[in-house]
């Protein structure tokens, strides 16, 4: 009940979300647009895609002064991922990029490396920021941008393996969850920034399959 006001305000976000759709169509004409469903889940997923469309776990966006956080404060993961309702359009934008990626070779890899998984998630953050004005992992960037060199040196030692620990879906000691999203974002941004043809770069980012080649061409870490 304490998040009822936040949930009700989602109804007023249709125009903002449609702007994201239009912005994507402008920079990526091949874009497809599935239905978006807002559901009340079990505090385990902010958003995902399925054959039916985009599914947003609306309860993950109930952070406010009025919300009862007594249970949340017992869970370190929830404390880091619970967001205010104003972030919903940016989450929709992130999942919308995953929809575009859903039939690409990268998405068909059954057991991706840390680099492949990070590029997929980080590129969704980067393109979501282009179309919505913001990405969903600002708190991760605030931590990581001041430690970029040391984090890159750590990441490159693990990026060709399939151990996601300390980088995706979990945190290490005194570090936030999902640093792989940040690393994939940085690689993608570097690729985009060095490209003369920005719309061509966007098409390549959506359809990337060889992440080692993508990293090399990005110039990141050099």
């Amino acid at each position: 009940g304490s998040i009822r006001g936040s949930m009700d305000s989602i109804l007023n976000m249709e125009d903002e979300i449609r702007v994201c759709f239009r912005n994507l169509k402008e920079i990526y004409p091949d874009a497809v647009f599935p239905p978006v469903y807002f559901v009340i889940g079990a505090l385990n997923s902010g958003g995902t895609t399925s054959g039916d469309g985009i599914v947003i776990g609306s309860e993950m966006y109930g952070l406010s002064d009025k919300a009862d956080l007594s249970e949340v404060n017992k869970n370190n993961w929830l404390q880091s991922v619970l967001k205010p309702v104003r972030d919903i359009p940016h989450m929709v934008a992130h999942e919308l990029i995953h929809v575009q990626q859903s039939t690409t070779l990268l998405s068909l890899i059954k057991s991706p490396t840390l680099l492949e998984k990070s590029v997929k998630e980080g590129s969704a953050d980067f393109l979501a920021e282009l179309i919505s004005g913001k990405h969903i992992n600002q708190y991760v960037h605030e931590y990581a941008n001041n430690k970029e060199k040391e984090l890159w040196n750590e990441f490159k030692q693990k990026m060709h393996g399939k151990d996601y620990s300390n980088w995706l879906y979990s945190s290490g000691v005194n570090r936030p969850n999902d640093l792989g999203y940040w690393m994939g974002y940085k690689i993608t941004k570097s690729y985009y920034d060095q490209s003369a043809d920005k719309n061509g770069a966007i098409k390549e980012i959506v359809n990337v399959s060889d992440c080692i080649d993508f990293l090399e061409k990005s110039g990141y870490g050099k």
Side-chain angles (χ1 to χ4, degrees), residues 41-122:
L43 285 173
N44 59 8
S45 176
T48 189
T49 62
S50 72
D52 296 322
I54 295 171
V55 181
I56 301 298
S58 303
E59 81 286 357
M60 299 294 285
Y61 300 89
L63 187 62
S64 71
D65 293 339
K66 298 178 180 180
D68 178 2
L69 301 179
S70 56
E71 292 301 316
V72 172
N73 290 335
K74 300 175 185 178
N75 185 309
N76 289 335
W77 178 76
L78 276 178
Q79 287 183 50
S80 68
V81 299
L82 196 68
K83 295 178 172 65
V85 71
R86 64 178 177 271
D87 281 357
I88 274 189
H90 311 298
M91 187 61 178
V92 172
H94 178 96
E95 295 302 331
L96 181 60
I97 303 305
H98 281 327
V99 170
Q100 315 313 312
Q101 296 172 325
S102 64
T103 58
T104 65
L105 292 175
L106 183 58
S107 292
L108 297 176
I109 297 173
K110 291 184 178 180
S111 183
T113 64
L114 174 61
L115 175 62
E116 289 167 337
K117 193 71 172 173
S118 296
V119 166
K120 182 181 178 183
E121 294 292 357

Side-chain angles (χ1 to χ4, degrees), residues 8 20-22 26 42 44 56 63 68 78-79 92 98 118 124 134 151-152 166 168 191 200 206 211 215 218-219 221:
D8 288 347
C20 297
F21 281 39
R22 289 194 294 270
E26 184 174 335
N44 59 8
I56 301 298
L63 187 62
D68 178 2
L78 276 178
Q79 287 183 50
V92 172
H98 281 327
S118 296
K134 183 180 173 183
L151 288 169
W152 165 242
N166 292 340
L168 292 170
Y191 185 92
V206 171
C211 290
L215 171 60
S218 78

Side-chain angles (χ1 to χ4, degrees), residues 5 25 33 63 87 111 117 123 129 164 180 202 206 212 217:
K25 187 68 174 179
F33 300 97
L63 187 62
D87 281 357
S111 183
K117 193 71 172 173
S123 63
E129 183 179 54
Y164 302 161
I202 289 167
V206 171
I212 296 175
K217 288 180 178 176

